[in-house]
C-alpha cells in the first residue's frame, strides 16, 4: 500500500518534482518551490552523476518537465538518484528507452495535469519506472567512467542473452532491455566486454556446444539447435572458424 504525504501544491507550473521515499514507498508532490530551488537540486544531482535525463515528445505544445527524486534512508544508500523527464525532444531524434518508460511517463504527466493529482498513483508509477530504468550510476561505476555499459546494464545484457542461447533474437531486443538504442548499446557493450554483442553471443554458443559435445549421445544436429543454430551446416562452419577444427573432430579429441 502506498502512502501519500502532504505536499505543497500550486497551479500548473512548468516543472513538477515528485520526491519518492523508497523506505516508505510513498511520494510527495512539490509544485510551488520556484525555479531557483529546483535548479539548485538539479545542479546538485548532476554534480553527483545521480540524474538520468530522458527527452520526450511535446504533447499539445507543452514542454513541461517532471523530476522524480528517489531517496533512501541515507543519500549513499543504493537506489538513491533521480530521473528528469523533459518534453523537448527534437523532431527525428531516436527514442532510446523502452516503450514502457514513455507510457508510464505519460501516465505521470496526465495525473499532474489534474486539479487534484492522485499522489499514491504517482508513487506507484514512479517506483515502476525505477524498476525498469534504474537511476544513473554513481561516479565510481567503471562502466560510466570508460563510456561502456553501467554495471546493471552489463548484467542485464549478459543474463538476457544467456537465457536465450537456443533462440534467435535481434540485438535490438538486448538494447531495449538495457534502455539504450542499438548503436549506443553496441558501442558500450564492445567497450565494456571487449567484443561486439554478436561476437560474444557466437562465442558463448560455441562454449555451450563444447560442453554438449562431451555428451556422446547427442547428435550434432541436436546440439546445433540447442545452441541457437538453425542448421547443422551453419553450426559446423562457425565452430570450425572459432575453434579451428570441426565439431566432430573436436569431440573425438576431447574423449
Amino acid at each position: 500500500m502506498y502512502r501519500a504525504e502532504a505536499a505543497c501544491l500550486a497551479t500548473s507550473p512548468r516543472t513538477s518534482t515528485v520526491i519518492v521515499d523508497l523506505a516508505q514507498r510513498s511520494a510527495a508532490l512539490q509544485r510551488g518551490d520556484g525555479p531557483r530551488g529546483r535548479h539548485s537540486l538539479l545542479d546538485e544531482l548532476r554534480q553527483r552523476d545521480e540524474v538520468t535525463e530522458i527527452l520526450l515528445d511535446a504533447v499539445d505544445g507543452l514542454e513541461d518537465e517532471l523530476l522524480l527524486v528517489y531517496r533512501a534512508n541515507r543519500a549513499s544508500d543504493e537506489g538513491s538518484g533521480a530521473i528528469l523527464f523533459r518534453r523537448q525532444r527534437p523532431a527525428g531524434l531516436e527514442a532510446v528507452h523502452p516503450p514502457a518508460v514513455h507510457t508510464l511517463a505519460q501516465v505521470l504527466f496526465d495525473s499532474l495535469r489534474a486539479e487534484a493529482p492522485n499522489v499514491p498513483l504517482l508513487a506507484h508509477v514512479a517506483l515502476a519506472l525505477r524498476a525498469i530504468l534504474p537511476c544513473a550510476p554513481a561516479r565510481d561505476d567503471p562502466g560510466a567512467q570508460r563510456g561502456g555499459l553501467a554495471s546493471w546494464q552489463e548484467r542485464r545484457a549478459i543474463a538476457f542473452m544467456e537465457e536465450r542461447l537456443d533462440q534467435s533474437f535481434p540485438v535490438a531486443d538486448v538494447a531495449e532491455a538495457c534502455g539504450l538504442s542499438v548503436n549506443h548499446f553496441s558501442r558500450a557493450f564492445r567497450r565494456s566486454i571487449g567484443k561486439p554483442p554478436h561476437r560474444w553471443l557466437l562465442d558463448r554458443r560455441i562454449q555451450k556446444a563444447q560442453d554438449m559435445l562431451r555428451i556422446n549421445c547427442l547428435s550434432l544436429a541436436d546440439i546445433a539447435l540447442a545452441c541457437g543454430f538453425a542448421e547443422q551446416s551453419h553450426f559446423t562452419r562457425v565452430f570450425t572458424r572459432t575453434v579451428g577444427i570441426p565439431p566432430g573432430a573436436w569431440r573425438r579429441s576431447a574423449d
Side-chain angles (χ1 to χ4, degrees):
M1 178 65 68
Y2 299 106
R3 176 172 58 83
E5 295 179 357
C8 182
L9 301 179
T11 58
S12 302
R14 175 174 176 144
T15 304
S16 296
T17 302
V18 176
I19 308 296
V20 183
D21 186 325
L22 295 174
Q24 299 294 327
R25 301 179 68 82
S26 64
L29 173 61
Q30 299 179 351
R31 303 175 90 177
D33 55 339
R36 180 174 299 179
R38 186 173 295 110
H39 290 162
S40 176
L41 173 60
L42 267 175
D43 289 342
E44 179 185 347
L45 290 165
R46 284 171 174 149
Q47 288 174 6
R48 298 201 306 260
D49 287 342
E50 290 184 355
V51 59
T52 296
E53 299 193 27
I54 301 177
L55 297 181
L56 303 172
D57 295 325
V59 177
D60 298 330
L62 297 176
E63 293 187 351
D64 46 342
E65 300 178 352
L66 169 62
L67 177 63
L68 302 178
V69 180
Y70 300 90
R71 289 180 174 166
N73 291 332
R74 298 183 302 274
S76 59
D77 286 349
E78 183 177 359
S80 300
I83 300 174
L84 174 65
F85 289 101
R86 302 171 57 198
R87 278 182 167 160
Q88 300 173 353
R89 189 168 66 194
L93 182 65
E94 180 184 7
V96 299
H97 298 286
V101 171
H102 298 268
T103 300
L104 291 172
Q106 188 59 50
V107 171
L108 290 175
F109 277 110
D110 290 344
S111 178
L112 289 169
R113 294 175 69 179
E115 291 185 6
N118 185 331
V119 182
L121 174 63
L122 294 178
H124 182 87
V125 177
L127 289 167
L129 276 165
R130 179 179 170 274
I132 297 174
L133 182 69
C135 298
R139 192 179 291 272
D140 61 355
D141 189 320
Q145 289 183 346
R146 62 175 182 265
L149 297 173
S151 298
W152 71 267
Q153 291 172 322
E154 183 176 323
R155 291 193 300 270
R156 182 171 296 182
I158 291 176
F160 185 99
M161 292 188 286
E162 284 279 4
E163 293 170 358
R164 295 165 177 80
L165 290 178
D166 62 338
Q167 304 172 25
S168 176
F169 56 88
V171 175
D173 288 355
V174 194
E176 181 177 330
C178 295
L180 300 172
S181 68
V182 174
N183 290 338
H184 186 178
F185 168 75
S186 297
R187 289 193 301 269
F189 187 95
R190 183 168 190 165
R191 184 163 295 185
S192 293
I193 306 299
K195 61 183 71 173
H198 177 69
R199 180 73 256 172
W200 183 93
L201 184 60
L202 280 180
D203 289 347
R204 183 65 188 89
R205 283 172 168 163
I206 294 303
Q207 291 175 1
K208 179 179 178 180
Q210 288 175 310
D211 292 337
M212 298 183 71
L213 282 167
R214 294 185 174 91
I215 306 175
N216 290 322
C217 63
L218 298 176
S219 68
L220 294 182
D222 290 339
I223 293 175
L225 289 175
C227 295
F229 297 94
E231 299 176 350
Q232 180 181 331
S233 59
H234 183 210
F235 164 61
T236 299
R237 287 196 303 271
V238 174
F239 189 100
T240 302
R241 185 171 63 244
T242 303
V243 180
I245 58 175
W250 189 93
R251 169 182 268 173
R252 290 189 295 271
S253 69
D255 289 341

